[in-house]
Amino acid sequence: MTTIERIKIIEASCKQVGRGVFFSTLIIVASFLPVFLLEGQEGKLFGPLAWTKTFILAIDAILAVTLAPVLISFFLKGKLRTDDHNPLNRGLERIYRPILNWCVTWRKTTLAINIVALLISIPLMLSLGSEFMPPLDEGTILFMPVTQPDVSNAEAKQLLQVQDKIIKSVPEVANVLGKAGRANTATDNSPISMTETIILLKPKDQWRKGLKKEDIINELNAKLQIPGVVNGWTQPIINRINMLSTGIRTDVGLKVYGQNLDTINALSNRMKQALTGLNGVKDLYVDPITGGKYLDIQVNKDAIGRYGLSVDEVNEVVESALGGMNLTTTVEGRQRFSVNARLAQDCRNNLEAIKRTLVQTPNNGPIPLSSVADIRISDGPAMIQSENALLRGTVLFNVRDRDLGSTVKEAQDKLNTLVKTLPKGYYIEWSGQYENLIRAEHTLKLILPIVLIIIFACLYFAFHSIREAFFSLISIPFALIGGAYMVYFFGVHLSVAVAVGFIALFGIAVETGIVMVIYLNDAMQQLVALRGNSKETITREDLREYVMNGAVKRLRPKLMTVCVALFGLVPVLWAAGTGSDVMRPIVLPMIGGVLTSSTHILLVTPLIFLMVKEYELRKHGKLEILEVKE
């Protein structure tokens, strides 16, 4: 073989697959369109994945049609051998050809098996739970209990110390750090009744045998059942993300809007009572908006008139004795601090001492404050929360031992009757991770039909045939079979991560289907060149022989594609480091889908192609052949 002949063969081969490579790349990029349109947390997490894969595929497509032929012309020299000389390829063909022959012979059985497998996967998918994102194990635990709004500083401090001591008694806990109230920042509005304790765990190889993180949380929760305290368990990073994105510090929050705090609090407690005992609902409590204790000092105007005092003079005494009088300002470098003076804590830490606070009168000397004012402790709002120009209360809970979607759905069903009887001007809104889940689902449902239309258009332009495009597109649901089985048997809930895995699988399935159809059409071109394009010269046996030869010709590159995908993805199943919780739901549908789509494309696609060509030959008297154009 001369150099010119070898280059012409390379050129013809590149033309044969060039169109398929280009449109396969375009289809994979189009399949990632839903990922590009994701918002919020999910968009920031999976956006870089989509962009990286898109850029890699774009460069890969350019190199495949430009650099690859040049490199082949340089290195593909000497004596060239056919596939039959490769012992591994011969062994695979010996296995593949009889199986394909059986499928072609028993057509109805083959199609029935695939359809039954597809039908079984549908209830499996419907039985799966749903969640926004798979929980990422941060390696630490955030304990966020809430106590009574009127707790004192001393009681909060003592409570924090007791809790930390109990937590440290668990062998898997390395260190404990807790705080009560707000931090030294204007962005932290935590009341003194809410404490935050960060629990650092020891490495997993130092844990008790068979223990999981959920078991540690359950053990800690059982030990920390303190009267007047509602426990809450989460993780530091996801807690901050939830609070910044939704204003809810738990997995799910039920926001109650209205005009009156007391009514909102009553409705919130009724909803909490309705949700108590619901499977999956943990750490359920009402964010306290009432129950705060206030020192209420009402000036008695008749009394101050008898003593010759004014309201302002009494208020000045209260301000200086209890609140503190600003005396001066101290300068320490760039910082300025005010210096205040007020009564000692012993004189203002109980109601009787405050009543004995002296007020100087013009004519009668000092008199107790209780002589000119009514002093009492009154209830009031612990913290006023508002949103959308309305007062707001929240019912908060986490979801454990169950998926988020079904838990919230059951909770909504239980509250339907109560919601219908809400007073006028009051309504509820579900928030937290569930809010993100609904947003992501809405985006995916909106864009997926558009993506399927784009993929179908790409297939049409690749083959210039609606029939070929349709039969290439039907490989997608059969690719979902393995993905659905893998997700089901590994017990993974449907989430944005699983959706991204299925989206990546779409592109792989269509790509491999395109190349298989190209090889089958190449076999048809060889048949037409040898026998002519007429039903008088082409028999059913000829069609069957050439379709099988075209499919066998595709065996080695197809298996190489599958092996590369599996070798890159399977190790993720055994990964145990940080981030594996998110990666595993992505690769599970891809691994299962690659296996079933490969089986479908190797066995069912040639069968369907043969049936279509037999129909064309019988109906039109000739075959419709895909012409490869430059």
Side-chain angles (χ1 to χ4, degrees):
M1 183 185 297
T2 64
T3 303
I4 296 177
E5 291 174 339
R6 181 167 49 83
I7 291 177
K8 285 185 177 179
I9 293 175
I10 294 173
E11 180 183 358
S13 301
C14 293
K15 288 179 180 179
Q16 181 185 19
V17 298
R19 179 191 295 270
V21 170
F22 173 77
F23 281 103
S24 295
T25 304
L26 195 61
I27 287 170
I28 295 177
V29 173
S31 67
F32 271 94
L33 186 59
V35 182
F36 290 121
L37 297 180
L38 291 176
E39 304 172 345
Q41 178 185 346
E42 66 276 18
K44 291 181 175 64
L45 184 61
F46 295 114
L49 169 67
W51 283 110
T52 302
K53 192 173 182 70
T54 298
F55 287 133
I56 289 175
L57 287 171
I59 299 300
D60 176 68
I62 295 173
L63 295 179
V65 298
T66 56
L67 181 61
V70 176
L71 294 178
I72 292 173
S73 66
F74 279 122
F75 295 104
L76 197 64
K77 296 180 179 179
K79 186 178 180 181
L80 302 179
R81 296 183 177 183
T82 62
D83 291 344
D84 297 335
H85 290 82
N86 188 316
L88 178 61
N89 197 69
R90 287 201 307 270
L92 293 173
E93 285 187 9
R94 288 195 187 101
I95 299 173
Y96 175 51
R97 187 179 288 274
I99 296 176
L100 180 60
N101 184 62
W102 185 91
C103 293
V104 172
T105 303
W106 300 90
R107 302 181 180 188
K108 294 181 180 180
T109 304
T110 302
L111 294 176
I113 291 174
N114 279 265
I115 293 173
V116 169
L118 179 61
L119 294 177
I120 292 175
S121 67
I122 295 175
L124 290 183
M125 292 292 289
L126 295 177
S127 67
L128 293 174
S130 61
E131 60 188 3
F132 171 57
M133 293 286 290
L136 175 65
D137 184 5
E138 301 174 17
T140 56
I141 301 173
L142 180 61
F143 177 48
M144 296 185 65
V146 177
T147 185
Q148 299 301 319
D150 57 351
V151 65
S152 66
N153 290 351
E155 289 175 338
K157 180 180 178 181
Q158 182 181 6
L159 180 63
L160 187 62
Q161 292 173 341
V162 171
Q163 290 172 342
D164 290 354
K165 186 176 180 180
I166 295 174
I167 293 171
K168 190 65 176 69
S169 66
V170 176
E172 286 72 24
V173 175
N175 294 294
V176 184
L177 175 64
K179 80 169 183 70
R182 67 184 64 190
N184 189 22
T185 171
T187 60
D188 188 357
N189 61 347
S190 303
I192 193 68
S193 59
M194 187 178 75
T195 62
E196 296 181 5
T197 301
I198 296 177
I199 305 170
L200 302 180
L201 301 177
K202 295 177 181 178
K204 290 188 176 181
D205 55 5
Q206 300 181 26
W207 292 8
R208 284 168 286 175
K209 188 176 180 180
L211 210 62
K212 298 180 180 179
K213 188 175 180 181
E214 293 78 10
D215 301 325
I216 298 175
I217 292 177
N218 292 333
E219 181 179 347
L220 288 170
N221 191 58
K223 289 185 174 183
L224 290 167
Q225 294 299 319
I226 301 174
V229 179
V230 180
N231 295 339
W233 301 93
T234 181
Q235 299 181 99
I237 297 176
I238 191 62
N239 173 258
R240 298 305 175 196
I241 293 175
N242 288 342
M243 294 182 71
L244 289 173
S245 60
T246 65
I248 300 299
R249 57 179 175 268
T250 54
D251 294 340
V252 183
L254 178 59
K255 298 179 180 178
V256 183
Y257 295 93
Q259 303 289 342
N260 184 273
L261 288 176
D262 293 331
T263 305
I264 292 174
N265 186 62
L267 292 173
S268 300
N269 280 287
R270 287 174 59 191
M271 293 178 184
K272 174 196 170 185
Q273 186 177 4
L275 297 178
T276 300
L278 193 67
N279 182 29
V281 173
K282 308 292 183 180
D283 312 330
L284 175 64
Y285 68 97
V286 175
D287 203 7
I289 57 176
T290 61
K293 301 299 182 182
Y294 291 84
L295 179 63
D296 194 2
I297 302 177
Q298 296 286 342
V299 178
N300 189 328
K301 294 185 178 180
D302 293 335
I304 62 173
R306 290 194 298 269
Y307 288 105
L309 295 172
S310 66
V311 175
D312 289 341
E313 289 173 331
V314 176
N315 287 339
E316 286 178 3
V317 172
V318 174
E319 178 188 0
S320 59
L322 304 180
M325 177 184 293
N326 190 3
L327 301 178
T328 184
T329 301
T330 177
V331 179
E332 298 182 11
R334 295 178 58 85
Q335 295 179 316
R336 305 292 189 270
F337 300 96
S338 60
V339 179
N340 294 343
R342 60 179 177 178
L343 294 180
Q345 188 168 349
D346 292 341
C347 299
R348 52 183 173 84
N349 63 357
N350 62 78
L351 192 60
E352 294 303 321
I354 294 173
K355 288 181 178 180
R356 292 194 298 267
T357 302
L358 298 179
V359 179
Q360 187 65 40
T361 62
N363 302 317
N364 300 296
I367 61 173
L369 181 61
S370 59
S371 300
V372 292
D374 297 325
I375 306 171
R376 63 180 181 273
I377 301 294
S378 60
D379 292 330
M383 180 183 294
I384 299 177
Q385 299 177 344
S386 63
E387 189 175 335
N388 298 328
L390 290 172
L391 296 174
R392 188 200 77 188
T394 47
V395 182
L396 305 173
F397 63 89
N398 290 315
V399 177
R400 290 197 297 272
D401 305 325
R402 190 180 177 185
D403 67 286
L404 179 69
S406 64
T407 303
V408 176
K409 180 66 171 60
E410 186 176 349
Q412 290 174 337
D413 293 339
K414 292 198 71 172
L415 293 177
N416 274 341
T417 304
L418 180 58
V419 171
K420 292 177 181 178
T421 60
L422 289 177
K424 186 177 180 180
Y426 291 79
Y427 65 95
I428 66 170
E429 182 180 90
W430 293 89
S431 187
Q433 290 285 343
Y434 183 74
E435 179 182 342
N436 297 328
L437 172 64
I438 296 301
R439 185 188 66 243
E441 285 184 350
H442 177 74
T443 302
L444 293 174
K445 290 178 180 178
L446 181 66
I447 197 64
L448 277 178
I450 300 175
V451 170
L452 290 176
I453 294 174
I454 294 175
I455 291 176
F456 184 82
C458 293
L459 290 171
Y460 174 76
F461 287 119
F463 298 124
H464 294 294
S465 169
I466 294 179
R467 186 186 298 115
E468 299 285 1
F470 174 75
F471 285 118
S472 295
L473 194 64
I474 63 174
S475 63
I476 290 180
F478 290 97
L480 298 182
I481 295 175
Y485 288 170
M486 287 288 286
V487 171
Y488 178 81
F489 287 116
F490 272 80
V492 175
H493 299 309
L494 294 178
S495 63
V496 177
V498 174
V500 171
F502 275 114
I503 288 170
L505 178 61
F506 288 170
I508 295 175
V510 176
E511 175 195 21
T512 51
I514 286 178
V515 181
M516 171 60 88
V517 173
I518 288 176
Y519 275 83
L520 293 176
N521 273 282
D522 179 63
M524 293 298 98
Q525 290 178 5
Q526 297 175 17
L527 175 61
V528 169
L530 181 65
R531 298 292 180 88
N533 194 358
S534 172
K535 65 179 179 180
E536 284 78 16
T537 57
I538 300 176
T539 64
R540 292 185 61 182
E541 290 300 322
D542 293 333
L543 274 177
R544 175 170 176 163
E545 178 184 354
Y546 274 82
V547 167
M548 290 187 63
N549 289 338
V552 171
K553 183 180 179 182
R554 172 62 182 138
L555 177 63
R556 188 170 68 173
K558 174 60 185 173
L559 292 178
M560 289 175 60
T561 303
V562 173
C563 291
V564 168
L566 292 180
F567 291 157
L569 297 175
V570 169
V572 180
L573 296 180
W574 288 275
T578 302
S580 61
D581 313 77
V582 178
M583 289 303 301
R584 191 175 293 110
I586 297 178
V587 302
L588 280 175
M590 295 179 66
I591 292 174
V594 164
L595 292 174
T596 54
S597 67
S598 303
T599 305
H600 172 79
I601 290 169
L602 286 174
L603 299 178
V604 182
T605 299
L607 171 59
I608 296 177
F609 186 88
L610 175 60
M611 295 172 66
V612 171
K613 294 307 173 184
E614 289 177 351
Y615 171 79
E616 290 176 359
L617 197 64
R618 185 173 62 254
K619 182 76 173 178
H620 306 291
K622 64 177 183 177
L623 301 177
E624 180 182 336
I625 306 298
L626 171 65
E627 297 291 343
V628 179
K629 299 180 181 180
E630 298 185 12

